[in-house]
């Protein structure tokens, strides 16, 4: 009887082992999770390059004065030109600067623009002793009669010490022959109205490209902002030179255009004949 119990116990144990092994074969092994390891970016060390600011060699000169102006070092007659861009001008202070003998004030531009500070500027410039002239910014494509009438409303002969000046800086996109035709007709209108030729203002490169050999009968103020005096491609005589657009003067808070006469030229050559 005891042997029978032992046999039954063995049989039950074998059956249990078989079920466990069968269950293990049904369970699929889960794949191992693999974690992607992000590659660490190599730190690139950027070398900082020092900005080298060139030193003006004149600063090494013990006699160099950075506040010294051109008008302090030469015997030429100097002046300025102004428009509304300079804002409020303290004319009583400017008038005390005897190195500035004249001022050209922007009066008009094109057919309808009037400088908003012109009337005040011309009144006070006269009051504080400067010789005054007026200029018009020429627009080649704007009807010429409109430009003339616009200028006449501001540039009154009785208020002028200096001949009118025409500011010529753009062709208006016109071919040279059309631009010059428009300009010459306008200059003729100005001359007939004021009974004297105007002074022409332009940049050296603009003159060389568009006006060379075309305006030989007119006095020129040439703008070129270098230390060397301007020379035109056709060798024309230059009456006046605007040598900087970043001049400083007591009484004007911002930059101001400064000019001077060239060679033996002087103020008497541009006086308005009444």
């Amino acid at each position: 009887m005891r042997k029978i119990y032992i046999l039954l116990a063995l049989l039950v144990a074998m059956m249990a082992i078989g079920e466990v092994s069968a269950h293990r074969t049904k369970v699929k092994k889960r794949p191992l999770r693999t974690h992607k390891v992000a590659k660490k970016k190599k730190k690139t060390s950027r070398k900082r390059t020092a900005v080298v600011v060139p030193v003006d060699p004149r600063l090494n000169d013990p006699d160099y004065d950075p506040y010294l102006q051109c008008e302090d070092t030469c015997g030429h007659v100097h002046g300025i030109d102004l428009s509304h861009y300079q804002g409020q001008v303290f004319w009583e202070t400017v008038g005390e600067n005897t190195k500035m003998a004249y001022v050209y004030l922007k009066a008009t531009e094109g057919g309808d623009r009037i400088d908003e500070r012109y009337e005040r500027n011309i009144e006070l410039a006269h009051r504080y002793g400067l010789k005054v002239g007026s200029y018009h910014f020429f627009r080649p494509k704007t009807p010429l009669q409109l430009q003339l009438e616009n200028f006449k409303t501001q540039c009154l002969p009785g208020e002028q010490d200096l001949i009118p000046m025409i500011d010529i800086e753009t062709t208006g996109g016109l071919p040279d022959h059309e631009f010059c035709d428009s300009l010459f007709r306008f200059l003729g209108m100005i001359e007939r109205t004021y009974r004297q030729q105007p002074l022409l203002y332009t940049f050296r490169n603009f003159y060389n490209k568009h006006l060379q050999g075309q305006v030989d009968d007119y006095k020129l103020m040439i703008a070129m902002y270098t230390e060397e005096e301007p020379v035109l491609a056709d060798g024309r005589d230059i009456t006046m030179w605007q040598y900087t657009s970043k001049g400083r003067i007591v009484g004007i808070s911002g930059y101001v255009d400064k000019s001077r006469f060239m060679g033996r030229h002087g103020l008497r050559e541009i006086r308005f004949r009444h």
Side-chain angles (χ1 to χ4, degrees), residues 137-138 140 167-174 176 179-180 183 201-215 222-223 232:
F137 191 99
F138 178 63
D167 186 343
I168 310 163
E169 299 184 33
T170 176
T171 64
L174 296 174
D176 278 358
F179 158 67
C180 287
L183 175 62
Y201 168 94
T202 191
F203 286 85
R204 184 193 63 170
N205 291 344
F206 189 92
Y207 175 90
N208 287 341
K209 186 174 182 180
H210 303 289
L211 293 172
Q212 186 177 167
Q214 300 292 325
V215 288
I222 295 295
L232 300 178

Side-chain angles (χ1 to χ4, degrees), residues 12-269:
V12 171
M14 290 176 64
M15 289 176 65
I17 292 170
E19 287 179 2
V20 171
S21 62
H23 177 71
R24 284 180 177 174
T25 56
K26 289 180 181 180
V27 178
K28 293 182 179 179
K29 292 182 179 179
R30 293 181 181 180
L32 294 174
R33 291 184 181 180
T34 57
H35 298 280
K36 292 183 179 179
V37 179
K39 293 182 179 179
K40 293 183 179 179
K41 294 182 179 179
K42 294 182 179 179
K43 292 183 179 180
T44 56
S45 58
R46 294 182 181 178
K47 294 182 180 180
R48 294 184 179 180
T49 55
V51 178
V52 179
V53 179
V55 177
D56 191 330
R58 294 175 299 179
L59 297 179
N60 296 322
D61 182 356
D63 298 323
Y64 173 64
D65 180 359
Y67 297 100
L68 206 62
Q69 302 287 316
C70 173
E71 60 268 20
D72 296 316
T73 60
C74 72
H76 300 103
V77 179
H78 288 77
I80 55 178
D81 65 80
L82 297 175
S83 70
H84 65 278
Y85 289 113
Q86 275 71 42
Q88 183 177 0
V89 176
F90 297 94
W91 285 103
E92 62 277 17
T93 307
V94 175
E96 291 172 0
N97 186 344
T98 55
K99 295 167 187 172
M100 295 298 135
Y102 64 87
V103 56
Y104 265 101
L105 301 173
K106 183 176 182 179
T108 53
E109 177 176 339
D112 56 2
R113 295 185 184 179
I114 294 173
D115 192 276
E116 62 194 42
R117 291 190 175 268
Y118 175 76
E119 290 186 9
R120 174 178 171 79
N121 282 341
I122 196 168
E123 177 189 350
L124 294 179
H126 276 303
R127 184 184 301 177
Y128 292 103
L130 280 85
K131 300 300 181 184
V132 184
S134 305
Y135 75 90
H136 172 78
F137 191 99
F138 178 63
R139 293 289 182 185
K141 295 174 75 172
T142 300
L144 303 181
Q145 190 62 37
L146 276 180
Q147 296 196 65
L148 178 64
E149 295 301 327
N150 189 29
F151 190 49
K152 284 169 60 179
T153 63
Q154 303 302 306
C155 182
L156 306 178
E159 297 178 347
Q160 309 303 309
D161 300 308
L162 310 176
I163 59 178
M165 183 169 74
I166 307 303
D167 186 343
I168 310 163
E169 299 184 33
T170 176
T171 64
L174 296 174
D176 278 358
H177 68 281
E178 291 184 26
F179 158 67
C180 287
D181 178 67
S182 176
L183 175 62
F184 296 153
R185 286 189 289 125
F186 185 68
L187 295 179
M189 294 164 72
I190 291 290
E191 188 172 348
R192 288 189 294 274
T193 300
Y194 293 98
R195 298 181 180 179
Q196 52 208 307
Q197 287 185 329
L199 173 69
L200 306 188
Y201 168 94
T202 191
F203 286 85
R204 184 193 63 170
N205 291 344
F206 189 92
Y207 175 90
N208 287 341
K209 186 174 182 180
H210 303 289
L211 293 172
Q212 186 177 167
Q214 300 292 325
V215 288
D216 291 347
D217 296 333
Y218 292 88
K219 295 178 176 63
L220 299 176
M221 180 191 287
I222 295 295
M224 190 180 79
Y225 308 140
T226 63
E227 292 184 0
E228 295 181 0
E229 293 185 353
V231 176
L232 300 178
D234 57 5
R236 264 235 35 205
D237 180 56
I238 298 172
T239 303
M240 301 167 76
W241 170 30
Q242 187 184 90
Y243 55 87
T244 182
S245 63
K246 293 186 176 182
R248 291 289 191 180
I249 186 171
V250 179
I252 301 174
S253 59
Y255 291 132
V256 61
D257 298 335
K258 288 184 176 182
S259 58
R260 69 167 175 82
F261 282 88
M262 295 278 284
R264 296 183 178 180
H265 292 291
L267 202 57
R268 66 187 181 279
E269 299 177 44

Side-chain angles (χ1 to χ4, degrees), residues 6-18:
I6 293 171
L7 288 173
L8 287 173
L10 290 172
L11 182 61
V12 171
M14 290 176 64
M15 289 176 65
I17 292 170

